[in-house]
Structures are given as structure tokens and as C-alpha cells.
């Protein structure tokens, strides 16, 4: 006859086996989460480097724009260069007019 203690022992062994299986599953999940975390951390570091590079480019662009604005302001205050800029503007306007006339033919009626 099977004693009460033998049944308890078998129950405990079955329970222990289930706990070991659950523990193994939790370890696998933990490792998977660790790998995913490492991957995400790597991606984050890459994005941070990319953001740093973009910030640097923006800063450099702002410096270039500032230098160009200063140069333009300086040049625009010189009378000779003001005249050149006006002539260039007029020349550009004339070129646009001529190009638009050439590209869009206008019928000319000579004897109306």
C-alpha cells in the first residue's frame, strides 16, 4: 500500500519538475529580452551619433549663413557694388523676359 508520505513526495517531485521547466523558460525569455535590449541600446547609440552629426552640420550651416549675411551686408554698403547689383538684377530681368518670349511664341500680325 502507498503511504501518504510517498504520495506527497511524488507530488512534490512533479511540482519541482514543473518549477524547473518554468525556470528554464523564464531564463530563455530573459536571454531573449537581454539580446533585444542590447540591440535597442546599440540602435539608440547610433541615432544619438547621427543626431550629434546633424546638430554639427546645422551649426556649421548657420555659421556659413551668418558669414554670408555679413559679407552681403558689407558689400551692399559699397556704392560701386550697389550699382553692379542693380545692373545684374536688370540683366537677369531682361534675360527672363527674352527667354519667356522665346519659349512662348507670340503671333505677330504685320498687316492688320
Amino acid at each position: 500500500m502507498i503511504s501518504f508520505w510517498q504520495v506527497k513526495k511524488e507530488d512534490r517531485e512533479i511540482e519541482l519538475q514543473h518549477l524547473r521547466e518554468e525556470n528554464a523558460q523564464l531564463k530563455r525569455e530573459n536571454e531573449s529580452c537581454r539580446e533585444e535590449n542590447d540591440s535597442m541600446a546599440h540602435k539608440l547609440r547610433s541615432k544619438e551619433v547621427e543626431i550629434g552629426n546633424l546638430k554639427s552640420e546645422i551649426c556649421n550651416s548657420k555659421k556659413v549663413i551668418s558669414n554670408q549675411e555679413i559679407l552681403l551686408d558689407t558689400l551692399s554698403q559699397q556704392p560701386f557694388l550697389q550699382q553692379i547689383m542693380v545692373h545684374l538684377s536688370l540683366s537677369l530681368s531682361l534675360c527672363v523676359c527674352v527667354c519667356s518670349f522665346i519659349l512662348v511664341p507670340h503671333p505677330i500680325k504685320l498687316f492688320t
Side-chain angles (χ1 to χ4, degrees), residues 72-105:
L72 181 61
D73 187 47
T74 302
L75 292 176
S76 67
Q77 293 175 9
Q78 298 180 12
F80 175 72
L81 291 176
Q82 286 176 343
Q83 288 178 341
I84 290 176
M85 288 174 22
V86 167
H87 290 316
L88 287 174
S89 176
L90 290 172
S91 297
L92 181 61
S93 297
L94 180 61
C95 287
V96 169
C97 289
V98 169
C99 288
S100 67
F101 184 78
I102 291 171
L103 294 174
V104 181

Side-chain angles (χ1 to χ4, degrees), residues 19-96:
L19 289 173
R20 285 181 178 151
E21 291 170 3
E22 184 180 353
N23 188 34
Q25 177 64 29
L26 289 172
K27 284 182 179 180
R28 286 190 294 273
E29 289 176 12
N30 187 33
E31 182 60 29
S32 174
C33 289
R34 185 178 296 122
E35 289 171 3
E36 184 179 356
N37 185 48
D38 291 346
S39 173
M40 296 301 276
H42 178 71
K43 288 178 184 178
L44 177 62
R45 284 190 296 273
S46 296
K47 290 296 180 185
E48 287 172 343
V49 167
E50 188 177 336
I51 288 169
N53 291 340
L54 289 173
K55 284 181 178 181
S56 179
E57 285 182 34
I58 290 170
C59 183
N60 291 339
S61 296
K62 285 180 179 180
K63 288 176 185 175
V64 168
I65 290 169
S66 176
N67 289 341
Q68 290 175 342
E69 288 174 341
I70 292 168
L71 180 61
L72 181 61
D73 187 47
T74 302
L75 292 176
S76 67
Q77 293 175 9
Q78 298 180 12
F80 175 72
L81 291 176
Q82 286 176 343
Q83 288 178 341
I84 290 176
M85 288 174 22
V86 167
H87 290 316
L88 287 174
S89 176
L90 290 172
S91 297
L92 181 61
S93 297
L94 180 61
C95 287
V96 169

Side-chain angles (χ1 to χ4, degrees), residues 10-26:
E10 289 175 7
D11 288 345
R12 297 287 183 220
E13 288 174 353
I14 292 171
E15 187 178 339
L16 180 60
Q17 182 59 32
H18 287 153
L19 289 173
R20 285 181 178 151
E21 291 170 3
E22 184 180 353
N23 188 34
Q25 177 64 29
L26 289 172

